[in-house]
Amino acid sequence: MAPIKILDKAFSPSIPEEEILKNVKKVADRISKDMEGKNPLLLAVLNGSFVFAADLMRMITIPCEISFVKLASYQGTTSTGTIKEVIGINEDLQGRTVIIVEDIVESGLTIKRMMETLGTRGPKSIHVCTLLLKPERLKVDLDIEYAAMEIPNDFIVGYGLDYDQQGRGLRDIYTVVED
């Protein structure tokens, strides 16, 4: 893994694909065990979680379904603080076990908003699964049952995560190099 440049920023290698997939498998195994007999609905948050959600679903060994919701709260390398629902949820959630699948949880505000929105639709339960968690950035109290990895408060790119829509296709995760 060599350093890379995306647009105006340099990034150094951080987490290789092999390590990412090993941690995704651990989370998939836990979900498969915990959700046995429940046919959970994975609700993947676009755009960033699509790679993680695909790998996760392929590694889960129990019946499950997937759907997508798109929320926007980022511009460049910082959150705007405003969460705007772009594409809504079409599935009937009444009595369903729902697992929100996120690429990264930082402040927790997006997940909190999603849980409040989903809660009005009568699901049996709502669980949170994230590829990456930045525990020191959390601004709200959340029960994040399934976190594949905890990372420091760095800006990262790759494995679905982007910098101004670039870098999502990288197999490994890279950390921005500050000037």
Side-chain angles (χ1 to χ4, degrees), residues 57-118:
M57 187 170 191
R58 287 191 300 245
M59 292 179 191
I60 290 174
T61 59
I62 60 169
C64 62
E65 298 171 28
I66 192 165
S67 189
F68 299 89
V69 64
K70 186 169 181 176
L71 304 170
S73 65
Y74 260 83
Q75 280 186 325
T77 61
T78 56
S79 176
T80 62
T82 304
I83 301 155
K84 182 175 96 176
E85 189 164 344
V86 180
I87 300 171
I89 303 152
N90 299 321
E91 281 68 29
D92 179 8
L93 302 183
Q94 189 69 39
R96 295 290 312 263
T97 297
V98 176
I99 303 173
I100 299 170
V101 179
E102 253 297 20
D103 56 350
I104 188 165
V105 174
E106 295 185 55
S107 70
L109 295 172
T110 301
I111 291 293
K112 184 174 188 289
R113 164 119 187 261
M114 270 196 78
M115 292 179 81
E116 290 167 354
T117 300
L118 296 177

Side-chain angles (χ1 to χ4, degrees), residues 23-43 52-53 55-57 59-65 97-102 127-131 145-148:
N23 286 297
V24 172
K25 174 78 169 104
K26 285 180 187 176
V27 167
D29 289 348
R30 283 188 47 224
I31 289 171
S32 296
K33 182 176 178 266
D34 294 351
M35 302 292 164
E36 180 74 39
K38 295 183 180 173
N39 189 32
L41 172 64
L42 305 179
L43 193 55
F52 172 49
D55 285 344
L56 179 70
M57 187 170 191
M59 292 179 191
I60 290 174
T61 59
I62 60 169
C64 62
E65 298 171 28
T97 297
V98 176
I99 303 173
I100 299 170
V101 179
E102 253 297 20
H127 308 269
V128 178
C129 177
T130 187
L131 173 66
E145 294 170 77
Y146 306 104

Side-chain angles (χ1 to χ4, degrees), residues 10 43 54 163 173:
L43 193 55
Y163 169 50
I173 291 176

Side-chain angles (χ1 to χ4, degrees), residues 118-148:
L118 296 177
T120 66
R121 296 171 178 249
K124 180 177 182 179
S125 60
I126 302 172
H127 308 269
V128 178
C129 177
T130 187
L131 173 66
L132 302 165
L133 175 63
K134 293 184 178 180
E136 72 223 36
R137 289 281 317 271
L138 282 174
K139 293 181 179 176
V140 293
D141 188 29
L142 287 174
D143 179 16
I144 299 170
E145 294 170 77
Y146 306 104

